[in-house]
Amino acid sequence: MNILVTGGAGYIGSHTVLELVERGHRVVVLDNLSKGHRAAVGGIEFVHGDTGDARLLSETFKKYNIEAVVHFAASSLVGESVQQPAAYYQNNVVKGLALLDAMVSSRVLKLVFSSTAAVYGEPIEVPIMEDHPTLPTNPYGATKLAFEAAMLWYSGAYGLRYASLRYFNAAGADLAGKIGEDHHPETHLIPLVLKAAMGSVASLAIFGTDYPTPDGTCVRDYIHVSDLAVAHALALDALSAGRDRAVYNLGNGNGYSVLEVIRTAEEVIGKPINVKYGPRRPGDPAVLVAGSGRIKKELGWRPRFADLKSIIETAWLWHSSHPAGFEK
Ligand code: UFG
């Protein structure tokens, strides 16, 4: 299939591009490189531009005979979204709608969307299933949910077929060690733990030790980025086979606390990590764990990296061999 991947030069996007190419698809990446890295998709057909650019989209669909889109391009930092909701609505909703409209005009009607556990907000029940109430507590989650709603209505009216993948905490790196996580600034726990181990950040702050969890720190469900990538490929296959709409959670179904992540990283690296105990980060729910039974049952998805240690090992492989990320 000829597939356009928006935001394909980003962390999860580039791993998905790799998976799609390995499966024999022809992939074209559209990325404005505001966050992504050209080096993450070396050798892949690349269009430098924006999902808000209707003319560029229709030209790209035509030029490459695009049959499906995987849409990652978005702003994705929870804290930043609270400070700058306008930017999040612009990037994630307004530009997202431009993409949907261009797809409908060009009759490109298969879409896999990069969504998030942030659509649920503070969980009422754990593990979180797809029918859990969606009450986002920040603009990031709200804008992803708004796009999901648009896909639903476009599907009824214009024949769009879509799968929305709600990821929990993406982590790790491709086993070949050539691509990995490289955010500026980095805000995510596992890369920061590994950077603290390498001395490229002085210490790691643990955000809150008074949560109602076994050790007082937040519990998250970490899922390997390559397992996420496979899920996108399976979702595309399902759309090609006639599936019209689907929403899937993606996690391992195991919760690990911040302290467990640090301990496991120390085990992988073989040395202690310098930590500081700090206050809670506003907006962090105590526990987020996915129920991923639906995608397992319907698409046969199975995570290859089901335990935290194997996920951190692949992240360490990338960070220790690329201390400056894609810069070197
Ligand atoms: N944490 C620390 N110290 C740090 C960074 C993080 O203690 O320096 C803690 C956080 O408080 C949280 C856990 O580590 O408890 C994981 O934090 P991340 O920032 O790595 O990930 P989040 O759980 O905040 O975010 C993830 C995705 C978001 C998504 C969100 C859903 O990255 O895209 O889950 O709530 F929106």
Side-chain angles (χ1 to χ4, degrees), residues 76-78 115-119 121 137-138 140-141 167-170 181 186-193 203-208 211 217-220 222 256-258 261-262 279-281 283-286 288:
S76 65
L77 294 177
V78 169
S115 190
T116 170
V119 300
T137 51
N138 52 65
Y140 170 58
Y167 325 140
F168 282 64
N169 287 60
E181 192 163 8
E186 188 52 78
T187 62
H188 294 109
L189 180 64
I190 290 178
L192 284 174
V193 169
S203 69
L204 176 85
I206 296 178
F207 296 150
Y211 284 96
T217 64
C218 286
V219 169
R220 292 290 181 272
Y222 295 90
Y256 293 98
S257 72
V258 173
V261 169
I262 295 166
R280 291 183 178 197
R281 183 172 66 177
D284 275 342
L288 289 175

Side-chain angles (χ1 to χ4, degrees), residues 11 14-15 18 170-182 190 194 223-227 304-305 310-322 326:
Y11 171 47
S14 59
H15 284 80
L18 196 62
D174 180 61
L175 275 179
K178 294 203 171 101
I179 57 173
E181 192 163 8
D182 184 12
I190 290 178
L194 301 180
I223 174 162
H224 196 278
V225 64
S226 301
D227 286 328
R304 270 178 68 205
F305 300 88
S310 66
I311 294 174
I312 294 180
E313 278 167 354
T314 67
W316 180 236
L317 187 69
W318 160 255
H319 285 286
S320 55
S321 58
H322 296 79
F326 285 101

Side-chain angles (χ1 to χ4, degrees), residues 94-113:
V94 176
K95 290 183 183 177
L97 292 177
L99 171 68
L100 286 185
D101 290 341
M103 288 178 66
V104 170
S105 308
S106 299
R107 307 305 293 161
V108 177
L109 294 174
K110 291 193 279 288
L111 175 62
V112 177
F113 176 56

Side-chain angles (χ1 to χ4, degrees), residues 258-301:
V258 173
L259 286 173
E260 284 175 313
V261 169
I262 295 166
R263 254 182 254 122
T264 309
E266 287 176 334
E267 215 179 291
V268 168
I269 297 163
K271 69 175 199 190
I273 292 162
N274 189 12
V275 300
K276 288 202 171 112
Y277 295 92
R280 291 183 178 197
R281 183 172 66 177
D284 275 342
V287 178
L288 289 175
V289 177
S292 296
R294 186 188 280 177
I295 191 165
K296 287 181 176 158
K297 184 163 168 255
E298 294 186 5
L299 303 190
W301 175 79

